Amino acid sequence: MKLSLALGIVSAMAQVGLAGKCLNSVPVSSAEDASVPGPYSTVPMPPQYIEPSTTAGPYSTVPMPSDFSPDYGVYSTAPMPSDFVYTNAPATEEEQLSTASSPEPDYSAAPTATTTTPPSGAAGAYQITLEQLNKAVPDRAADSSCGSAPYPDECVTNSRAVSAINNALTKYGISRRSEAVAVISLMAFESESWLYNKNHYPGNPGQGARNMQMYDYNSEYAKLLYPDKVAQVLASDLSNSTQQMNDVRDLVLGDNDSFGAGFWYLTVHASKYHNNANALRDGNSADFQDYVVTGVDAGWSDGRMTIWNSVNSALSA
């Protein structure tokens, strides 16, 4: 009897011990054990903690395979090779001073890449002839057509305009005929066929160039082309004055800059219309109206369509 009772007690204790081992073998989550740092613990995470991941990678706790070799690059953790040159590195102070004192760009030469949004010129840029421009903008076909201009220094004939337009088409990489038609039509309307280079009616300060863009755009455009000259103007005692705004605008009124402004605007501020097969489709007048109203945020009139028809027809020949 005593022997049976003893054996029963030993058996019960063994079962309890086995049960204890089974319970102890069950993992305890960090949510249950607050003394272990983890994503569900009340213990602060160590600064070097990285969220566990089942995918090997630079942000994973899974060991990288032995043969892993990450690509070199600005977002890679791999050290850059000793001969690596970072071409987009910020300009040094000496380089910035050199750029600030650079002369006015020569658009007759092949355009060079810049740090700005517009694309650099391409060999396949669309080009126009003087004969086409004379048909498109007949009011300035004759060399004497600026003789009675109210501001003779602002008026140019097609013989002067054609080279500036072609330079801009090359500089801003305009390869589609439809984009050339749209911007030339816009400029011809806004400047009254190259008659004006500044806004005279009502005379908004700083407004001008052949596309008659407002001061904010002329200021941005001028800072891109002539940062040193703009800085000199802005450093004057005419802060925010009408004269100061006009002085900044006047920096971009040369033929190449002024005729280039419309194409600059297209590629920078209305870029969704540039090289987009679904916008400014060739020969599509509704697309041109959309560009004027939505892309340029200008008012619409039948006169714009009249000029577009003339330019579109001339540049089709």
Side-chain angles (χ1 to χ4, degrees):
M1 180 70 177
K2 291 181 178 180
L3 178 60
S4 298
L5 179 60
L7 289 174
I9 293 173
V10 171
S11 176
M13 291 177 66
Q15 291 178 4
V16 170
L18 180 60
K21 289 182 179 179
C22 291
L23 288 173
N24 289 337
S25 67
V26 177
V28 178
S29 70
S30 58
E32 297 168 332
D33 185 358
S35 66
V36 180
Y40 303 103
S41 171
T42 56
V43 177
M45 303 298 291
Q48 70 274 20
Y49 176 79
I50 299 177
E51 181 71 24
S53 171
T54 58
T55 304
Y59 300 103
S60 169
T61 56
V62 178
M64 303 300 290
S66 59
D67 59 348
F68 178 78
S69 177
D71 294 332
Y72 293 116
V74 293
Y75 298 106
S76 169
T77 56
M80 305 303 285
S82 59
D83 60 348
F84 178 80
V85 177
Y86 182 39
T87 57
N88 289 325
T92 64
E93 182 176 354
E94 182 179 352
E95 291 171 335
Q96 292 175 350
L97 291 175
S98 175
T99 301
S101 59
S102 59
E104 179 175 346
D106 179 9
Y107 294 109
S108 62
T112 56
T114 67
T115 58
T116 60
T117 306
S120 57
Y126 186 83
Q127 299 283 272
I128 64 174
T129 65
L130 177 58
E131 181 180 8
Q132 288 176 318
L133 192 58
N134 282 340
K135 292 178 180 178
V137 188
D139 287 350
R140 297 292 165 263
D143 290 339
S144 59
S145 58
C146 287
S148 59
Y151 301 93
D153 60 326
E154 295 182 33
C155 183
V156 300
T157 63
N158 288 335
S159 60
R160 272 180 59 181
V162 66
S163 61
I165 291 173
N166 281 332
N167 287 338
L169 288 166
T170 299
K171 180 179 182 181
Y172 294 106
I174 309 299
S175 59
R176 297 200 301 161
R177 189 191 79 93
S178 59
E179 293 180 24
V181 170
V183 176
I184 292 172
S185 300
L186 176 76
M187 294 192 298
F189 178 86
E190 296 292 348
S191 67
E192 293 194 25
S193 299
W194 328 143
L195 188 63
Y196 300 106
N197 210 11
K198 304 175 184 178
N199 175 264
H200 294 282
Y201 315 102
N204 295 319
Q207 183 181 1
R210 297 301 172 184
N211 61 336
M212 287 297 156
Q213 59 189 12
M214 301 301 288
Y215 170 73
D216 286 348
Y217 295 115
N218 276 325
S219 176
E220 179 184 347
Y221 188 45
K223 288 175 182 177
L224 165 66
L225 298 176
Y226 311 111
D228 58 327
K229 295 180 180 179
V230 174
Q232 291 174 7
V233 172
L234 297 181
S236 69
D237 59 356
L238 303 173
S239 181
N240 297 321
S241 70
T242 296
Q243 184 61 52
Q244 185 186 66
M245 296 169 73
N246 288 338
D247 288 345
V248 171
R249 173 203 59 199
D250 291 350
L251 294 174
V252 297
L253 296 187
D255 286 350
N256 286 313
D257 297 336
S258 188
F259 280 100
F263 296 102
W264 166 80
Y265 183 94
L266 167 66
T267 58
V268 174
H269 291 285
S271 58
K272 72 176 184 179
Y273 295 90
H274 177 51
N275 287 339
N276 182 351
N278 297 316
L280 285 179
R281 291 165 293 186
D282 196 56
N284 191 312
S285 60
D287 281 7
F288 172 63
Q289 182 172 351
D290 176 60
Y291 175 67
V292 171
V293 175
T294 306
V296 181
D297 194 23
W300 181 254
S301 70
D302 292 340
R304 292 185 184 275
M305 184 56 66
T306 299
I307 293 179
W308 182 87
N309 284 329
S310 176
V311 177
N312 182 59
S313 176
L315 269 59
S316 297

